[in-house]
Amino acid sequence: MSKEFLYTEIADGIAAQIKSGVLKAGDKLPSVRMLCSEHQVSMNTAKRVFLELESQSLVESKPQSGYFVSQLLSLKLPLSAVSRPSLMANNDEPDELISRVYENMGKKDITFFSIGIPSGDLLPQAKLKKEIVHAIRELKDGGTEYEELQGNLKLRRMIAVRSLQWGGNLNENDLITTNGGMNALSFCLMALGKPGDTIAIESPCYPGILQLANGLGLKVLELPTHPTTGIEIDVLKKLMPKIDLCLLIPNFNSPLGSCMPDENKKEVVRILSENNIPLIEDDVYGDLYFGSTRPKCCKSFDKDGSVLYCSSISKTLAPGYRVGWIAPGKYKDKILKLKLLHSTSSISIVNEAVANFLKSGRYEKHLQQLRKTLQSNYQNYVQTIAEYFPEGTKTSRPQGGLSLWVEFDKKIRTTELYDLSIKQNISIAPGRMFTFQEQFENCMRLCIGLPWSEETQAKLRQVGNLAKRI
């Protein structure tokens, strides 16, 4: 039996006992050494078992004490519902609502549960400052010259090296740097779509993607989406004749936090490729996994260059640096022409600094800590929601990323909840922001990227109390 199968088999067995109630919340689990002895496996395999169970929020570790069945299980928050959007293309943009939520961005006296980025307190700001200074000294003419059109070579090499983690097997010539993730998506949509074309996306979907598609004159077709496993593939198959292109966030998408299983990713790539429909893959959250291994990408299964892989450091390292990239496959020439037309060059000093940070190994160390913090935050959020939010509240169960989707009773409208919350200097993201249709009025997205503290908990508790008032 392979080591991979062993670790998943053992984890599945313990998970089944927890879910069936044989093991109850608070029960102590066997130690790593006991698991090694009982199943005749290595220490690394035993550790992977517990990492996998932690990623599912089934167990929690306590320093000097070992692993225990998570107390969260006793809370039994129901899972958010599968979305059921109309399968007609629709462009009823919630522009006014989006503007209201984002107009306060940057104000220091507001607690932003609405903005899906990690707090600056969770980022290695001092180390990044040193890299900027180093880049200015290292670059010819202090970084005042244009880079080559494809982007900083060192950065592209480091991104290519990191792609091995998810089976990308990219090289530096496969990549083009951009000014952030949205710039990457914008280039892809401009290269592949024309006004009147129909683009298929998840529902709910990140508002920036909705606005971008609408601004380019594309018709948006929202797909039914499961809060854990992503889009429903059978529906996608039926809609092939209506679709011109597709844009998905398969790994820990915003706002649901869903992660498509590898077999689903492979099938989506196959279906779209057979129908000559390009897939734009947004993987900005892929490095923020809670489990033991990084999930694969749709690009991992791309055989003919029809997947345009986009990502950035905006959700993991430095939102304000605006460093992103595309692996555009067979559409490389189109993307290069657009970059030449719209930006000519990326920001050389910043790209050099990020490249050095990745090369030094500091990025991976930072990610390890950030992932732990986000997973702990998720558990704290759920604990608080279960205790202080209205009865019947449902949540998604992300296994990574920055988002938690909250679903209330139909009587509670989150646009009204936003109005009440902002008066208390608390910003939430109402569910209507994430769709072009009349749905998700009773839902909201919470960002879990804030440092957890008594103040953060008090603010979250306040949102729950306001929802009860409604």
Side-chain angles (χ1 to χ4, degrees):
M1 187 179 296
S2 71
K3 291 181 180 179
E4 189 72 21
F5 186 80
L6 264 176
Y7 113 79
T8 54
E9 183 186 63
I10 297 168
D12 288 347
I14 296 174
Q17 287 185 309
I18 293 172
K19 292 173 182 177
S20 67
V22 174
L23 290 170
K24 302 185 184 303
D27 284 355
K28 192 175 191 307
L29 295 170
S31 67
V32 172
R33 292 187 181 278
M34 288 175 66
L35 209 63
C36 291
S37 176
E38 183 178 346
H39 294 277
Q40 297 298 298
V41 295
S42 68
M43 291 284 284
N44 284 338
T45 300
K47 288 176 181 177
R48 288 189 71 185
V49 169
F50 286 117
L51 285 171
E52 178 61 30
L53 292 169
E54 276 191 300
S55 75
Q56 300 176 41
S57 298
L58 294 174
V59 307
E60 54 191 359
S61 62
K62 297 181 180 179
Q64 313 302 320
S65 299
Y67 288 92
F68 295 80
V69 178
S70 176
Q71 294 288 348
L72 290 175
L73 293 175
S74 62
L75 305 175
K76 296 183 179 177
L77 278 173
L79 181 66
S80 304
V82 178
S83 68
R84 295 296 175 195
S86 165
L87 297 180
M88 299 289 289
N90 194 313
N91 286 60
D92 183 14
E93 184 178 2
D95 188 52
E96 187 272 335
L97 177 59
I98 294 172
S99 297
R100 278 165 57 200
V101 172
Y102 282 95
E103 69 183 1
N104 293 309
M105 191 164 59
K107 293 184 178 179
K108 301 301 182 183
D109 57 340
I110 295 177
T111 299
F112 286 100
F113 291 120
S114 55
I115 309 300
I117 57 173
S119 165
D121 293 334
L122 304 182
L123 303 176
Q125 298 180 30
K127 292 184 175 67
L128 288 172
K129 289 177 183 177
K130 291 180 180 179
E131 291 294 0
I132 290 289
V133 173
H134 178 66
I136 293 172
R137 292 171 178 166
E138 192 174 69
L139 285 170
K140 183 181 179 182
D141 294 330
T144 57
E145 293 186 347
Y146 282 138
E147 291 185 331
E148 61 179 285
L149 182 59
Q150 226 174 301
N152 183 287
L153 179 60
K154 188 189 301 182
L155 177 60
R156 287 187 283 122
R157 282 176 177 165
M158 295 315 305
I159 295 166
V161 169
R162 290 190 59 79
S163 77
L164 298 174
Q165 296 182 3
W166 48 266
N169 297 317
L170 302 174
N171 64 57
E172 61 265 28
N173 292 322
D174 296 324
L175 292 153
I176 301 169
T177 64
T178 62
N179 295 321
M182 287 304 296
N183 186 227
L185 296 179
S186 179
F187 283 159
C188 292
L189 290 179
M190 286 191 287
L192 302 177
K194 61 183 184 299
D197 283 352
T198 298
I199 181 171
I201 62 170
E202 294 133 330
S203 183
C205 180
Y206 176 61
I209 291 173
L210 295 174
Q211 291 181 305
L212 178 58
N214 198 35
L216 293 172
L218 302 175
K219 296 178 182 177
V220 173
L221 195 157
E222 299 182 40
L223 301 170
T225 306
H226 190 281
T228 302
T229 56
I231 62 166
E232 294 192 344
I233 296 179
D234 289 342
V235 176
L236 178 66
K237 289 179 181 178
K238 294 176 183 177
L239 294 172
M240 283 294 103
K242 298 182 179 181
I243 298 172
D244 297 296
L245 62 158
C246 185
L247 193 161
L248 300 175
I249 309 176
N251 293 328
F252 321 125
N253 79 333
S254 176
L256 290 175
S258 61
C259 185
M260 290 174 61
D262 286 349
E263 58 269 25
N264 289 25
K265 293 171 184 168
K266 186 176 182 179
E267 182 67 1
V268 165
V269 172
R270 184 190 69 79
I271 296 165
L272 293 173
S273 177
E274 287 181 356
N275 288 274
N276 295 313
I277 297 173
L279 171 61
I280 302 167
E281 178 178 25
D282 185 356
D283 189 49
V284 290
Y285 306 101
D287 281 338
L288 300 178
Y289 54 94
F290 296 162
S292 56
T293 55
R294 193 198 195 282
K296 289 190 175 183
C297 299
C298 288
K299 188 68 175 178
S300 310
F301 306 103
D302 181 20
K303 296 180 180 179
D304 61 3
S306 60
V307 177
L308 297 89
Y309 172 84
C310 302
S311 192
S312 78
I313 60 163
S314 296
K315 309 299 183 182
T316 57
L317 185 63
Y321 278 17
R322 314 312 302 141
V323 174
W325 54 87
I326 311 171
K330 62 185 179 182
Y331 305 101
K332 180 179 176 181
D333 289 344
K334 288 186 175 183
I335 300 296
L336 282 173
K337 286 179 182 178
L338 281 168
K339 184 179 179 182
L340 178 62
L341 176 64
H342 288 272
S343 60
T344 306
S345 172
S346 300
I347 304 171
S348 57
I349 293 172
V350 174
N351 281 6
E352 180 75 11
V354 171
N356 288 334
F357 193 79
L358 267 60
K359 188 174 182 180
S360 70
R362 295 191 186 101
Y363 184 56
E364 193 55 49
K365 290 180 181 178
H366 158 66
L367 284 177
Q368 289 172 5
Q369 183 56 52
L370 181 59
R371 288 193 290 261
K372 288 180 182 178
T373 300
L374 293 177
Q375 183 177 9
S376 176
N377 283 359
Y378 160 60
Q379 293 170 344
N380 287 326
Y381 274 55
V382 172
Q383 181 87 33
T384 303
I385 289 169
E387 291 181 12
Y388 297 104
F389 277 47
E391 187 175 348
T393 298
K394 302 176 182 179
T395 65
S396 60
R397 292 173 190 163
Q399 296 178 39
L402 287 159
S403 297
L404 179 64
W405 186 246
V406 179
E407 181 182 342
F408 294 109
D409 182 275
K410 294 287 186 182
K411 298 175 183 176
I412 298 176
R413 293 173 61 87
T414 50
T415 49
E416 182 181 351
L417 181 58
Y418 172 81
D419 291 336
L420 292 172
S421 298
I422 200 65
K423 290 177 181 176
Q424 307 299 322
N425 288 330
I426 304 169
S427 180
I428 62 169
R432 184 61 179 82
M433 291 173 55
F434 301 88
T435 177
F436 276 158
Q437 302 183 17
E438 294 299 326
Q439 57 177 345
F440 311 133
E441 293 281 5
N442 61 319
C443 301
M444 67 177 178
R445 183 195 69 179
L446 296 174
C447 171
I448 60 173
L450 303 178
W452 186 255
S453 63
E454 289 184 4
E455 182 181 359
T456 305
Q457 184 181 32
K459 294 290 187 179
L460 188 57
R461 185 168 64 239
Q462 199 170 354
V463 174
N465 289 334
L466 290 171
K468 288 178 180 178
R469 279 175 50 187
I470 296 175

